[in-house]
Amino acid sequence: MTLPTRFNFAEHLFALNRGRAERTAYIDDRGTLGYGQLEDRARRLAAALKAAGVRREERVLLLMLDGNDWPVSFLGCLYAGIVPVAVNTLLTPDDYAYMLEHSRAQAVLVSGALLPTLQEAMARGGHEVQAMLVSQPTAALPDGAQEFEAALAAVQPLASPVTTASDDPGFWLYSSGSTGKPKGTVHTHANLWWTAELFGKPVLALTEDDVCFSAAKMYFAYGLGNALTFPLSVGATVVLMAERPTPDATFRRWVEHKPTVFFGAPTGFAGMLASPKLPAREAVALRMCSSAGEALPGEIAQRFKTHFGCEIIDGIGSTEMLHVFISNRPGDVRYGTTGKPVDGYEIELRGEDGRPVADGEVGDLYIRGPSSALMYWTNREKSRDTFQGGWTKSGDKYTRDADGYYTYAGRSDDMLKVSGIYVSPFEVESTLMQHPSVLEAAVIGKEDAEGLTKTKAFVVLKDGATATEEELKAFVKERLAPYKYPRFLEFVSELPKTATGKIQRFRLREKEKQA
């Protein structure tokens, strides 16, 4: 597969779907958006930004809740050759102040509900923009701001797309920032196309008859593929949800809009299975589910399939690679593993000496594929460490079995050496979660009285469930090698997580140091 040198991803999608003008592209909490309307509004957004003086390759901060204005904004920027910087909606004013300055954003596209936080960020950082478009304002607009609908109505659609190269910077995503400042990850127009061609079409096998619904929001690499790149590449329909993906909120969309493909994460699937409001199989239309973000425990996947008759295909992707590059396949799911490399990607597991490890040994995960980011903006040191020639260093540790299936063994900085042997926190966590009383678990290393590293588990019990420390330790010891069971165990009401739902084990380690 090859792309022409001149390539604009927004125009690519619009051209694919011009025969589907009346077909529904998006359904949000306010209504529907047809494919024809999507193109018209995105081209108007492109014209509005250009009229405001934003030039090609300049950045625009995209701080919006999931709704029909989000894809309009993202695609409108791409169409104009402007670079949208999609950011997490759950951050602090200080975070946004940093991102505005770091990206040198010349305009902001913001949801009305998030405007007060953005204004505080701009006041703290002092960064000025040329334009601010506010979607669904909830109060009077600040000086210089425009209401989104009014801005689109005031211009004619941009007549033609800005001529961009396939390798031109297309958009940015910020890393989750679980440690240190978030990194501005620069992706190209072509990277979106590659993820659709290598994963969305051949692995998910999406068609225009599918209705897609992603719990992961569109500002995440995972959610962007699930709710924009993949479905729009085949003319499917997408359900968008502005609120948090709680079990109840998710169930309402499952029952009302009947999505056929759902994209979630392990924490979400665990919470849904524990909910007393879990819908009956007959009430939903799911044909397949996808999981990423963290490795999916096999016990959760098996329980989900038993209830819904629907497979969850687990995979791993990253902000740097844009979407999934190792995955299980429909009809070929080996629970407890992440599956096999997606066609078009090469995978290497390397030891501490930098050489490939043998099957069964834990190694650092490296990926080579066409969707890799260009760099981290203004961060040469981190860019060189992560993007090594054609290879991208993921920061994850994995094993590969003799059949070619890959199994997650933890983050590189989360792995534990107990008695000189690597222990995967995920393996212990996954085993604990097989206990009927356990909802979630996180495992870190803790020094014992002799200064030796042992495992400590933080456990969240299901509502109304009970279990003792000794009971859970014995449960793990019966199922894993004796040195792997948690020597220490603490019951907690919740686990610290990033906005993406990933467990922040470093916060648990900090807590132990302070104890």
Side-chain angles (χ1 to χ4, degrees):
M1 292 184 286
T2 57
L3 270 178
T5 302
R6 300 298 181 187
F7 179 75
N8 182 293
F9 186 73
E11 170 60 18
H12 165 71
L13 290 183
F14 297 155
L16 284 177
N17 292 300
R18 284 184 180 133
R20 301 185 177 97
E22 301 303 317
R23 189 174 181 87
T24 300
Y26 285 98
I27 304 169
D28 72 1
D29 298 332
R30 295 190 301 158
T32 63
L33 186 69
Y35 271 98
Q37 294 172 299
L38 173 63
E39 178 178 355
D40 177 76
R41 288 171 65 80
R43 290 170 60 183
R44 287 178 183 273
L45 186 279
L49 290 175
K50 289 177 69 70
V54 183
R55 298 172 296 180
R56 66 175 297 169
E57 297 186 10
E58 289 184 331
R59 271 77 63 193
V60 169
L61 197 78
L62 176 49
L63 175 60
M64 300 178 77
L65 300 171
D66 275 21
N68 292 345
D69 288 344
W70 204 107
V72 166
S73 299
F74 185 84
L75 293 173
C77 287
L78 294 183
Y79 195 81
I82 292 166
V83 179
V85 180
V87 297
N88 191 325
T89 59
L90 302 175
L91 303 180
T92 66
D94 285 340
D95 291 321
Y96 298 132
Y98 169 78
M99 291 172 175
L100 283 164
E101 180 63 33
H102 181 250
S103 68
R104 303 168 198 153
Q106 296 300 302
V108 176
L109 304 170
V110 60
S111 293
L114 301 172
L115 182 58
T117 304
L118 175 68
Q119 288 180 283
E120 186 176 345
M122 296 178 73
R124 290 186 186 185
H127 183 82
E128 296 183 1
V129 297
Q130 297 181 54
M132 180 188 296
L133 272 61
V134 183
S135 172
Q136 302 178 54
T138 57
L141 297 182
D143 290 343
Q146 278 186 289
E147 196 270 329
F148 197 85
E149 293 298 327
L152 267 58
V155 295
Q156 292 298 310
L158 191 64
S160 58
V162 168
T163 302
T164 51
S166 58
D167 286 338
D168 272 353
F171 63 101
W172 292 17
L173 298 172
Y174 273 96
S175 65
S176 59
S178 56
T179 57
K181 290 289 186 183
K183 300 181 289 293
T185 311
V186 182
H187 277 285
T188 69
H189 280 259
N191 288 357
L192 293 159
W193 184 85
W194 280 114
T195 60
E197 296 301 313
L198 297 178
F199 184 76
K201 293 179 181 178
V203 176
L204 299 177
L206 295 180
T207 73
E208 67 177 2
D209 295 324
D210 276 311
V211 177
C212 298
F213 176 35
S214 176
K217 300 302 184 181
M218 297 178 79
Y219 53 75
F220 297 131
Y222 182 49
L224 179 61
N226 304 339
L228 190 147
T229 312
F230 302 162
L232 298 194
S233 292
V234 298
T237 297
V238 183
V239 176
L240 295 178
M241 177 173 71
E243 65 183 300
R244 290 178 55 246
T246 61
D248 285 358
T250 300
F251 297 156
R252 285 199 299 274
R253 274 74 180 184
W254 282 4
V255 172
E256 181 179 354
H257 298 302
K258 295 292 192 293
T260 56
V261 182
F262 175 73
F263 302 87
T267 299
F269 285 114
M272 288 188 286
L273 287 170
S275 171
K277 297 182 181 179
L278 188 69
R281 180 187 298 197
E282 298 75 22
V284 304
L286 298 172
R287 70 168 180 84
M288 182 179 67
C289 292
S290 168
S291 179
E294 281 193 303
L296 177 71
E299 184 264 346
I300 290 177
Q302 288 169 335
R303 286 171 52 208
F304 192 92
K305 184 177 181 181
T306 298
H307 184 85
F308 288 110
C310 171
E311 288 181 323
I312 302 176
I313 59 166
D314 187 23
I316 180 175
S318 68
T319 303
E320 292 74 13
M321 294 304 298
L322 190 54
H323 214 274
V324 170
F325 47 81
I326 301 176
S327 182
N328 284 274
R329 273 48 166 201
D332 181 20
V333 175
R334 185 171 292 189
Y335 291 130
T337 80
T338 310
K340 295 181 177 180
V342 172
D343 289 345
Y345 293 93
E346 296 178 62
I347 304 298
E348 279 192 5
L349 300 182
R350 301 178 186 174
E352 294 179 0
D353 59 1
R355 298 178 180 178
V357 301
D359 286 350
E361 294 184 13
V362 174
D364 291 305
L365 179 65
Y366 287 76
I367 314 101
R368 181 158 62 186
S371 63
S372 176
L374 293 174
M375 61 178 165
Y376 298 128
W377 185 256
T378 64
N379 197 332
R380 191 175 189 184
E381 181 181 358
K382 287 287 188 182
S383 294
R384 283 180 164 180
D385 182 57
T386 299
F387 307 108
Q388 302 180 10
W391 294 92
T392 299
K393 179 183 178 182
S394 78
D396 297 292
K397 286 187 179 289
Y398 263 80
T399 61
R400 183 186 59 245
D401 65 21
D403 296 326
Y405 290 87
Y406 286 75
T407 299
Y408 182 67
R411 289 287 299 173
S412 297
D413 54 0
D414 284 336
M415 289 293 290
L416 308 173
K417 261 193 175 178
V418 179
S419 302
I421 306 172
Y422 271 120
V423 174
S424 163
F426 177 77
E427 184 180 21
V428 183
E429 293 163 4
S430 180
T431 303
L432 279 164
M433 288 172 65
Q434 294 174 25
H435 191 282
S437 294
V438 174
L439 177 63
E440 292 184 303
V443 172
I444 64 169
K446 174 183 171 67
E447 289 190 356
D448 64 12
E450 298 176 325
L452 299 174
T453 298
K454 305 297 181 185
T455 49
K456 175 170 181 176
F458 293 83
V459 174
V460 179
L461 295 178
K462 297 176 182 176
D463 287 342
T466 59
T468 66
E469 179 179 336
E470 292 307 315
E471 176 185 355
L472 293 181
K473 288 181 178 180
F475 184 83
V476 175
K477 193 183 296 186
E478 291 170 1
R479 287 160 177 78
L480 297 179
Y483 69 87
K484 295 183 178 181
Y485 88 93
R487 303 303 202 278
F488 309 98
L489 194 146
E490 180 178 340
F491 293 102
V492 294
S493 60
E494 62 180 2
L495 298 174
K497 296 171 185 172
T498 67
T500 63
K502 296 179 182 178
I503 296 171
Q504 294 176 307
R505 295 179 184 84
F506 78 95
R507 293 200 181 279
L508 296 174
R509 290 193 289 268
E510 290 173 354
K511 176 183 175 182
E512 282 301 306
K513 289 179 182 178
Q514 296 168 1

